[in-house]
Amino acid sequence: MLARPLPFRALPGSTPRTPALLDELDARFRTGGDVPDPDQCNALIHLARLGSRPPGRPVGAGGAPGLFMWGGVGRGKTRLMDTLGQALGPAQVRRLHVAELLAAVHRSAVGGGDWAQRMDTLLGTARMLLLDEFHAYDGADALILLRVFESALARGMGCVLTANHPPAALWPDLPALRQQARHYLPLAAWVEEHCTVLRVDGGRDYRERLAADAPPRWWPDAPATLPASSPGGWREVDFDGLFRQARGPADYTHLAAARPGLLIRGFPKLAGEHMDSLRRLVWFLDAAWEARQPLAITARASVEESFSGLAPELAALLGKDLARSRSRLLALCRI
């Protein structure tokens, strides 16, 4: 089983159930023959401590009520979080992507009711909030997320968040957005106060191992006739129709859930003119990754050429998402 790099007593909040839960998390993570690297081992220990925390424990009693895991793309953060969700079971966890959470909060406003009633509907009786790909590029979203976290904490819930960068580094450092940073900073401060901030970055993108199984279904030069290896029976969509029309995260969640695979034609060389399309592409790939939706692409260039050449300001705005999106795109083109 797990070679534990930290003794349990070094982690505030451990309970008699923590070692048993750690063994379960370790066994689940190793399903399929995977072996956790040292950073992942450390994360499993923290997840076991948090997952064994008695429901409703007040703030300050036995360690932070949250865990914020950050690191490069493909380091296993989402898998670690989902391992805890699987061990605790659906009745005890509310697992969402950050875009799903924000969309759910907005929908709850339409139905009326005060904030407490809306949170009852959103969070239910779960004792753990699992939130993947934490970020906020909009001041209003930052304020909403802060209020949701405060409500979850008041209910005695724990939380696990994943991101590619530490909390304070997630707001884009662009002249047009610096003034709005004042709306984000309280959210970052809340996360740093109430969550153990843990780096999970063993230095390897584990999605790259899919490359050994098969080349990606990415065909440059937009062939009029697809290669013989192309999938049959998939839905076909055009890049412009999918990403240049007004759509939101909920639209892409619905599209990804309505499997089978999706063949996207006409993927362009991304440039400044594609700013809105890029944001929608990020939303779509996050939803497709959650659904493990197989993809195939006909493109006007190679993968490397398609994602190069972005204007510096656009790369700075979306770069923290684009690295993750490119990694997920290639992985989905191989499954």
Side-chain angles (χ1 to χ4, degrees):
M1 281 298 190
L2 183 64
R4 297 166 185 163
L6 292 174
F8 284 117
R9 292 179 184 175
L11 294 177
S14 295
T15 72
R17 182 172 179 258
T18 304
L21 181 57
L22 176 59
D23 286 340
E24 181 179 357
L25 295 179
D26 178 47
R28 288 178 178 274
F29 191 90
R30 290 173 185 263
T31 300
D34 294 322
V35 178
D37 63 33
D39 277 12
Q40 292 168 343
C41 287
N42 191 22
L44 287 169
I45 292 175
H46 283 270
L47 288 165
R49 189 276 304 170
L50 184 62
S52 61
R53 181 186 178 90
R57 175 176 285 184
V59 178
L67 179 65
F68 184 98
M69 296 186 291
W70 70 276
V73 299
R75 269 42 173 192
K77 302 179 297 297
T78 299
R79 183 176 178 185
L80 287 161
M81 181 184 72
D82 286 341
T83 298
L84 177 63
Q86 293 159 9
L88 295 180
Q92 297 193 59
V93 300
R94 186 75 167 99
R95 200 278 199 208
L96 296 163
H97 185 275
V98 67
E100 290 180 291
L101 174 63
L102 290 167
V105 172
H106 290 304
R107 286 196 304 270
S108 72
V110 177
D114 61 24
W115 179 260
Q117 292 171 324
R118 292 163 63 190
M119 289 300 98
D120 285 342
T121 301
L122 177 65
L123 302 175
T125 59
R127 68 181 186 90
M128 193 74 62
L129 175 62
L130 308 182
L131 189 62
D132 198 25
E133 304 301 351
F134 171 82
H135 68 267
Y137 295 160
D138 179 270
D141 288 346
L143 295 173
I144 289 172
L145 288 171
L146 177 58
R147 196 173 181 191
V148 170
F149 290 153
E150 289 174 339
S151 296
L153 188 66
R155 299 162 71 95
M157 295 180 71
C159 64
V160 179
L161 316 175
T162 72
N164 293 130
H165 296 269
L170 284 172
W171 187 261
D173 186 21
L174 294 172
L177 294 175
R178 284 174 190 155
Q179 189 173 14
Q180 294 185 44
R182 69 183 188 278
H183 299 302
Y184 173 75
L185 294 178
L187 175 60
W190 186 97
V191 171
E192 291 175 345
E193 178 181 356
H194 296 291
C195 295
T196 298
V197 178
L198 187 68
R199 186 172 187 180
V200 180
D201 200 337
R204 177 186 175 190
D205 184 342
Y206 285 90
R207 296 185 198 121
E208 290 180 352
R209 63 189 173 184
L210 292 171
D213 299 331
R217 293 180 296 271
W218 181 287
W219 300 297
D221 303 322
T225 302
L226 293 176
S229 60
S230 62
W234 285 19
R235 286 173 298 158
E236 295 189 25
V237 293
D238 182 74
F239 181 93
D240 287 349
L242 190 57
F243 300 117
R244 286 202 162 185
Q245 296 180 6
R247 300 178 190 266
D251 298 311
Y252 295 117
T253 299
H254 178 75
L255 177 66
R259 300 178 66 143
L262 198 65
L263 170 61
I264 302 174
R265 289 183 173 274
F267 198 102
K269 290 185 66 174
L270 299 171
E273 67 187 84
H274 297 109
M275 181 169 180
D276 289 338
S277 298
L278 276 168
R279 179 64 59 85
R280 296 184 189 114
L281 175 66
V282 170
W283 291 338
F284 166 72
L285 288 172
D286 283 345
W289 183 254
E290 292 286 319
R292 296 299 189 269
Q293 182 181 43
L295 299 178
I297 308 290
T298 68
R300 298 168 189 168
S302 68
V303 177
E304 292 73 18
E305 292 172 326
S306 296
F307 280 84
S308 65
L310 292 174
E313 186 164 294
L314 184 57
L317 176 63
L318 293 173
K320 294 168 184 176
D321 285 331
L322 283 181
R324 177 183 79 249
S325 297
R326 181 180 179 276
S327 174
R328 288 182 168 180
L329 174 60
L330 287 175
L332 292 170
C333 284
R334 287 187 171 109
I335 62 174

